[in-house]
Every structure is written in C-alpha cells, then in structure tokens.
Amino acid sequence: MESAPCVPIFLVLCIFIQSSAHGQSLGPEPSGRRSQAVETKKTLQETKTRFLLLGDKTNEGCQIQLNRPDTLQECGFNSSQPLVMIIHGWSESVQFSPSNVHLIGYSLGAHVSGFAGSYLGRKHKIGRITGLDAAGPLFEGSPPSDRLSPDDANFVDAIHTFTREHMGLSVGIKRPVAHYDFYPNGGSFQPGCHFLELYKHIAEHGLHATITKTIKCSHERSVHLFIDSLLHDGMQSTAYLCSDMDSFSQGRCLSCRKGRCNTLGYHVHQQPQSKSKKLFLVTRAQSPFKVYHYQFKIRFVNHIEKPIEPTFTMSLLGTKEEMQKIPITLGGGITSNKTYSFLVTLDSDIGELIMIKFKWENSAVWTNVWNTVQTIIPWGAEPCCHSGLLLKTIRVKAGETQQRMTFCLENTDDLQLHPTQEKIFVKCELSSKKSKRKTR
C-alpha cells in the first residue's frame, strides 16, 4: 500500500469474530476494569479486535495493544499527522441479521452510530443503539435526521452525564434522543467530578493532566456507568420516569407502574415507545455506582404562625444494617398543614426498613431561642402544642422494592419534639380509627 503524502497514517480496525458452539460471541473486555472483573468472579473473553497502525514506513501494520499506550510510541504514531480511521463492517453474503447488532457510541460516536443505523435502516433496522453522553455542540437543536434519534434502531437508549451549559453550549446533548433517556444525578454534572477535586490529583498527575481529567470526568462517566452495569450483575441501577431533577429530588417519581422505571446500562428493558421517556436516578461517585432510593413524607400538625428552619437528621434501621445521622433539609422552612416530601439515597442495602430515629439537631443556642419564641408566638389552642413540634407519622416508599410503609411514634405519651431531642418511629398500620403499632 502506498502512503499518500497528505494522509500518511491509516488506522485499520480488523475485527475477527470467533463464534461459540451456539454461534454467538462475547464482547470485548472493557478497558481499564480488569481488576473489577476479577472481583465479580467473571472471566471476560480477551478481545479479538486488532488495531493496526499503518504509516509510510510499513505496509504490514503495527499492532496497538489495548490498555498499552506505550505501543503507540513503539508503532511510531505521530499526533501531528492527519489520521484516518477505517472501520469495517460485514458483507451481506454473511448470514447475519442486523437485528442482532448493538452499536455503542460515545460523544460524537453516538451520533455516528445513529447515522449508521439510519443508513442501514433503509433495508433492515439494526437491533439497538446506546448513546453514551452524545455530543451536544452542533447537535442540540438539530432535527432527528441530523443526530441520534429513536428512529435509528429498533431500540435506542441514551445516558446523559454532562449537559451543564457553558456560554450556551454543553459537552453532552441535553434533549432526549432515544426511546429511554437516562439522566444520572440530573445529567448536568456528576459526583466526584467537581473542580474541588483538582487539589487531590495535582500532586499525582500534574496541573495540566488534572484539569483535563476533571473537565472530561462527567462526560466519560456515561462510559463508566455502562461498564458498571456489565461488571455488577447483582447491582443494577434503577432509574425513574420524571419531568426534571427538582421533582425527582422530592422523591415524587419513584414509581415503576406502567413502565415508569427501567434499568440503566446494558441490561435495560427494551420497550420501544412512541415518545421519548426521561428517567432520573442518583449514583455514587465511584463504582459500584448503584444507590437505593427512598421517598419520605412528613407532616407537622402544629399551628405554626411563621416558618421556622430547624435542622433534622434520621437514622434508619433495616434488617441488614443501620444508616446513622442522614441530614434532612426541608426547603423554605416548616409551616402549618403542609406535607414535606424528600428523597433519601443509601449507598448500601439495609434490607427492609423497620425503625426510624428522627432527631432535631439544633444546638443549645437554638433551644434557648426556641423556648423564647414559643412563649411569644401562639401555637394554637391545644395544650400539647405549646412547646414543641408534633410529628406523629412518617410515610416511606422504597424505590427499588416499591414497598410502601408507615411509621408511628413508639411512645405516644410524649408527642412533642424539642431541639436536640430524638424520637423513635416504628412500623404501624393506619386505620380510620387508630394506629396499630407493629412489634419490632
């Protein structure tokens, strides 16, 4: 092969598929995650994909090894020269159905996958396309024909992880582009990718590399989330249909009825829809990314003249373990006759929730202020309400199990919650006449 002077480097991706006895093949091993694969006690088949670099000095090609950046230098890769990537497909003479094809594209590659699917779809649609934080610039306002869209395959799913805008542009596309569009942590930015993390990595990686690493952290999180779904079969992340992250943060969207929830990543339930569905979830900052979602509903029955803004914490006791002192923030302060709904996420599975410890965390200074204020402001006619907050029940819904629970005060002789005081709530069944506490 003669090398053209204007394009001296060719990168040829030669894919050799070795079928198993059943005529199926395993995908390539996710790069950089070998140790985690061992932890999951799974042996991933080594990739049979060969990356050959052809330049003006050789016509045979020099093989670039996965996870071996040093082989780029060994093969004489010159970043100052133009680069052409040739990706082969398959011949129509091969009996292979496009419906068995799954294209996975990251960033700009997500739209390239869409274009490939759209082109092939003129005859037979491919099975699935997964877009990993599809590129935003030049695509955000484009029509479906000019970007990844649900029409490009029988099923299209997309993960949005870096849609935060800077000067009117975002690295990842914000608009829905699939049958199911997943927005981890709202999709705008990802935990563990904040610029405050710069200081932790400068000493190890250097300033330039650290800034680059931090900027692309959220964008690449889509890739790691997808890989995570392959490495942890027993810890699949569930996302829930919701209008936006604000509503989701209130815990109001944890429903799985009529297809309102789905699994993030490779094991998504493939249910093509006529209209794109936006699903939200919270994740951890590192793998495994799964968290457990809970909605809590509380209502203070006091007559409160002016909003107050106390600080609360909850400790949750489950059948497997206990999570202590989870901070609770009620936006706008506490007012009368209002039900507060909020989302709580746990990094580990505590099992079935059996007890809640609810504590008013304010300091002794706040206690003195509270005692002064409550003597000035009328709280109502009932004697029980003159010196504390009244919280009789806590309602809970577990997103992952869809279980609904109600918790009542364990000690009904003392209903008032005071600053620095903790109340214990146990499972109960509410009837029209009275509450029946369950034994712990």
Side-chain angles (χ1 to χ4, degrees), residues 10-305:
F10 293 85
L11 183 62
V12 183
L13 280 66
C14 303
I15 302 176
F16 299 90
I17 301 176
Q18 292 189 348
S19 301
S20 66
H22 294 84
Q24 297 177 342
S25 63
L26 294 175
E29 178 180 355
S31 61
R33 300 298 292 273
R34 180 66 180 175
S35 61
Q36 294 189 7
V38 173
E39 292 177 3
T40 57
K41 297 182 180 180
K42 291 187 175 181
T43 303
L44 300 179
Q45 180 183 12
E46 291 188 2
T47 179
K48 300 301 180 183
T49 304
R50 297 178 63 205
F51 298 85
L52 301 180
L53 182 68
L54 285 77
D56 53 7
K57 294 183 180 181
T58 175
N59 292 328
E60 296 180 359
C62 179
Q63 186 171 348
I64 300 171
Q65 302 290 337
L66 286 177
N67 306 320
R68 289 279 310 280
D70 56 299
T71 57
L72 283 172
Q73 184 176 359
E74 293 174 2
C75 290
F77 178 76
N78 188 343
S79 60
S80 65
Q81 293 180 311
L83 175 68
V84 174
M85 299 186 69
I86 304 174
I87 308 172
H88 86 77
W90 64 87
S91 171
E92 291 187 358
S93 62
V94 178
Q95 298 300 315
F96 188 80
S97 173
S99 63
N100 293 329
V101 174
H102 180 188
L103 298 182
I104 303 173
Y106 165 59
S107 193
L108 183 59
H111 298 295
V112 173
S113 298
F115 297 149
S118 178
Y119 178 80
L120 292 173
R122 296 173 186 176
K123 293 182 178 181
H124 303 286
K125 276 193 174 184
I126 64 174
R128 178 182 174 187
I129 295 176
T130 298
L132 303 179
D133 209 30
L138 303 180
F139 293 99
E140 189 68 64
S142 300
S145 59
D146 295 338
R147 57 168 171 80
L148 176 64
S149 74
D151 298 328
D152 296 331
N154 291 329
F155 181 77
V156 181
D157 58 311
I159 303 176
H160 305 257
T161 54
F162 194 17
T163 64
R164 178 176 292 181
E165 290 189 5
H166 298 277
M167 300 179 66
L169 296 174
S170 62
V171 175
I173 196 167
K174 188 174 184 178
R175 67 178 303 165
V177 293
H179 293 107
Y180 282 87
D181 289 83
F182 295 84
Y183 294 83
N185 308 293
S188 64
F189 207 67
Q190 299 304 308
C193 294
H194 198 275
F195 276 96
L196 292 177
E197 300 291 321
L198 281 171
Y199 301 103
K200 299 179 181 179
H201 302 296
I202 287 178
E204 181 179 354
H205 304 288
L207 180 60
H208 177 73
T210 298
I211 293 176
T212 303
K213 182 181 179 67
T214 303
I215 291 175
K216 68 180 183 179
C217 177
S218 286
H219 194 37
E220 288 187 348
R221 182 61 59 83
S222 58
V223 178
H224 297 300
L225 288 170
F226 191 86
I227 294 174
D228 191 70
S229 71
L230 291 167
L231 294 177
H232 301 96
D233 281 345
M235 298 187 67
Q236 299 297 304
S237 296
T238 303
Y240 305 87
L241 183 69
C242 203
S243 58
D244 52 55
M245 192 61 187
D246 288 339
S247 298
F248 187 76
S249 298
Q250 296 177 35
R252 300 186 182 278
C253 301
L254 301 185
S255 174
C256 286
R257 295 182 57 194
K258 299 180 179 180
R260 288 190 176 97
C261 71
N262 209 328
T263 303
L264 173 77
Y266 181 77
H267 300 288
V268 63
H269 302 296
Q270 299 185 33
Q271 303 168 338
Q273 308 288 327
S274 58
K275 184 179 179 181
S276 297
K277 288 190 173 183
K278 298 174 64 174
L279 296 94
F280 293 80
L281 72 158
V282 173
T283 71
R284 285 162 35 91
Q286 62 278 326
S287 179
F289 292 99
K290 178 183 177 64
V291 303
Y292 298 83
H293 301 80
Y294 292 86
Q295 178 193 23
F296 285 80
K297 286 185 177 181
I298 62 176
R299 183 184 183 90
F300 297 97
V301 297
N302 301 68
H303 175 68
I304 302 175
E305 291 290 335

Side-chain angles (χ1 to χ4, degrees), residues 6 214 319 328 354 357 415:
C6 59
T214 303
T319 53
I328 304 301
I354 57 177
K357 297 177 182 178
L415 300 177

Side-chain angles (χ1 to χ4, degrees), residues 359-405:
K359 185 176 182 180
W360 188 342
E361 286 286 353
N362 292 89
S363 64
V365 174
W366 173 259
T367 303
N368 295 331
V369 174
W370 172 260
N371 291 333
T372 302
V373 171
Q374 61 90 19
T375 59
I376 301 174
I377 301 176
W379 291 87
E382 298 182 20
C384 67
C385 303
H386 285 174
S387 58
L389 294 174
L390 293 182
L391 177 61
K392 295 182 178 180
T393 61
I394 300 176
R395 298 179 183 271
V396 184
K397 180 177 181 180
E400 278 63 31
T401 64
Q402 294 293 287
Q403 183 181 10
R404 295 178 181 271
M405 300 158 279

